[in-house]
């Protein structure tokens, strides 16, 4: 629906997305007092249906973020979910779409304000990047990942994204596609917008939830898809030098889905091309999110009722 008018939901009111504006004096703008979610809804042509993937888990993580940041709101998870579904219907997507839910401190308060909290949801079509086929070349960043003792890395607090932005700019200047961050103590954390998995000697492992990672929905989906397939995934702290010994690697995120990693710090992994184990997982992931595989966990929410 490119070129058409697109709508946003502002506290449940549908308006032109160009009118979904935030006041310059709000704590959201002055102090980045905001937290968000990035989600996908997949178009299934056979079912003539749009399928929002793990919407409840995204809403839950948004509420986790608001709790950590001490946002005070009477809006419930159910109400927010209804607003989001209404927006997706209103935008009439008949293609895969990415939608964002923003919770922020509105009004003109100070740095310690806990409210009023406002919510803006937006949505737009989103396809797949070329890295889905070709894979990413990652470079370990000279910036370290935001640490849990300074910021809340496990939720999508807007201010965290300065860390990712600095890493992205640095990685591009160094000739890499995307940065990979280490923690303050030198263990592997994640990229600027996705979590990392390594496969070495047939074993799958990924930095654990105390490695300053985001509690990624797609990471969890990948772990559960692999476990359903009889493959164990070890969640543990990961050393930098382990990166160079992996035969295959991949990153997971709502936006990037499951993407191969073909090189880290200039060292090719395996053959230097996406490997068969990653390709297999990509296919399982697509079958699940696009509505071809059984939805045993109730993760797909039909948008059109
Ligand atoms: N890490 C960061 C910093 C992210 O922004 C994202 C994308 N939201 C992820 C990891 C992946 O999280 P998810 O699978 O929930 O999209």
């Amino acid at each position: 629906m490119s070129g058409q008018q697109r709508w946003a939901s502002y506290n449940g009111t549908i308006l032109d997305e160009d009118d979904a504006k935030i006041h310059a004096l709000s704590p959201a703008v002055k102090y980045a007092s905001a937290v968000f979610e990035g989600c996908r809804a997949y178009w299934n042509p056979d079912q003539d249906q749009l399928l929002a993937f793990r919407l409840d888990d995204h809403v839950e993580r948004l509420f986790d973020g608001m709790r950590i940041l001490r946002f005070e709101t009477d809006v419930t998870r159910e109400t927010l979910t209804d607003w989001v579904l209404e927006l997706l219907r209103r935008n009439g997507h008949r293609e895969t779409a990415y939608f964002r839910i923003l919770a922020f401190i509105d009004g003109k308060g100070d740095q310690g304000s806990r409210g009023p909290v406002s919510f803006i949801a937006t949505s737009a079509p989103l396809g797949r990047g070329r890295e889905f086929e070709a894979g990413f070349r990652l470079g370990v960043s000279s910036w370290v990942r935001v640490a849990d003792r300074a910021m809340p890395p496990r939720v999508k607090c807007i201010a965290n994204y300065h860390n990712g932005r600095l890493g992205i700019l640095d990685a591009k200047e160094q000739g890499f596609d995307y940065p990979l961050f280490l923690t303050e103590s030198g263990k592997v954390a994640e990229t600027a917008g996705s979590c990392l998995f390594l496969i070495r000697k047939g074993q799958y492992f990924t930095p654990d939830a105390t490695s300053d990672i985001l509690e990624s929905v797609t990471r969890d989906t990948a772990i559960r898809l692999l476990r359903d397939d009889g493959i164990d995934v070890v969640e543990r702290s990961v050393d930098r030098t382990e990166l160079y010994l992996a035969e295959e690697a991949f990153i997971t995120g709502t936006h990037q889905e499951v993407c191969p990693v073909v090189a880290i710090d200039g060292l090719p992994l395996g053959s230097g091309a996406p490997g068969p184990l990653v390709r297999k997982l990509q296919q399982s992931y697509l079958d699940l999110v696009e509505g071809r595989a059984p939805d045993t966990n109730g993760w797909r929410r039909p948008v059109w009722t």
Side-chain angles (χ1 to χ4, degrees):
M1 53 175 282
S2 56
Q4 290 179 26
Q5 182 179 33
R6 206 168 285 141
W7 304 98
S9 166
Y10 201 133
N11 291 328
T13 300
I14 300 284
L15 72 182
D16 190 308
E17 70 171 16
D18 290 341
D19 295 326
K21 294 180 182 155
I22 299 179
H23 201 288
L25 294 177
S26 64
V29 174
K30 287 187 296 190
Y31 309 111
S33 307
V35 60
F36 77 107
E37 279 303 314
C39 327
R40 268 192 196 251
Y42 290 84
W43 177 246
N44 182 307
D46 298 328
Q47 297 169 19
D48 206 31
Q49 182 59 275
L50 188 65
L51 302 165
F53 190 65
R54 298 193 70 169
L55 177 55
D56 291 349
D57 295 301
H58 283 284
V59 168
E60 195 59 39
R61 187 172 60 190
L62 188 79
F63 275 77
D64 288 349
M66 289 197 290
R67 180 175 171 80
I68 292 171
L69 297 172
R70 271 63 168 184
F71 285 17
E72 290 174 356
T73 178
D74 292 331
V75 172
T76 63
R77 291 161 177 74
E78 293 71 29
T79 299
L80 184 61
T81 303
D82 288 346
W83 291 346
V84 168
L85 290 171
E86 188 195 356
L87 172 77
L88 291 173
R89 286 182 205 118
R90 188 63 184 262
N91 274 331
H93 298 294
R94 293 180 63 83
E95 73 279 276
T96 293
Y98 185 80
F99 57 102
R100 305 172 71 90
I101 316 170
L102 178 73
F104 62 98
I105 307 286
D106 215 336
K108 299 183 187 177
D110 61 22
Q111 204 167 356
S113 302
R114 294 166 182 243
V117 177
S118 280
F119 297 87
I120 297 179
T122 51
S123 71
L126 181 70
R128 241 156 235 142
R130 70 162 197 95
E131 292 90 357
F132 190 83
E133 286 307 323
F136 274 92
R137 293 169 305 119
L138 301 180
V140 171
S141 186
S142 57
W143 297 96
V144 298
R145 170 75 176 152
V146 284
D148 195 75
R149 62 180 177 168
M151 300 277 279
R154 71 188 63 248
V155 293
K156 289 174 75 75
C157 146
I158 291 278
N160 289 353
Y161 287 80
H162 285 290
N163 183 226
R165 181 171 188 275
L166 288 167
I168 287 170
L169 296 173
D170 185 47
K172 297 275 184 216
E173 277 169 22
Q174 313 281 335
F176 300 117
D177 298 324
Y178 213 40
L180 181 61
F181 293 99
L182 304 181
T183 65
E184 277 190 324
S185 56
K187 301 295 181 186
V188 177
E190 60 173 20
T191 77
S194 42
C195 291
L196 179 78
F197 288 71
L198 301 172
I199 310 172
R200 184 180 175 203
K201 296 181 182 164
Q203 286 200 322
Y204 291 63
F205 53 105
T206 186
D208 71 321
T210 60
S211 296
D212 293 335
I213 63 168
L214 183 84
E215 289 188 346
S216 152
V217 174
T218 321
R219 173 183 179 276
D220 181 67
T221 305
I223 291 173
R224 286 162 77 168
L225 279 173
L226 290 165
R227 290 191 178 148
D228 286 350
D229 217 13
I231 296 167
D232 191 30
V233 181
V234 181
E235 299 174 63
R236 62 164 173 82
S237 74
V238 174
D239 285 334
R240 179 172 187 167
T241 49
E242 291 184 278
L243 299 171
Y244 309 133
L245 302 178
E247 290 108 31
E248 289 191 48
F250 57 93
I251 56 176
T252 60
T254 299
H255 194 294
Q256 292 150 346
E257 303 173 299
V258 175
C259 268
V261 173
V262 290
I264 303 180
D265 284 347
L267 278 178
L269 303 187
S271 66
L277 300 174
V278 176
R279 286 289 188 229
K280 186 164 186 272
L281 180 65
Q282 280 186 307
Q283 193 55 54
S284 316
Y285 187 78
L286 292 189
D287 288 344
L288 177 66
V289 295
E290 291 178 348
R292 290 181 296 274
D295 182 20
T296 48
N297 296 295
W299 283 339
R300 295 191 300 247
R301 171 68 112 9
V303 171
W304 297 100
T305 46

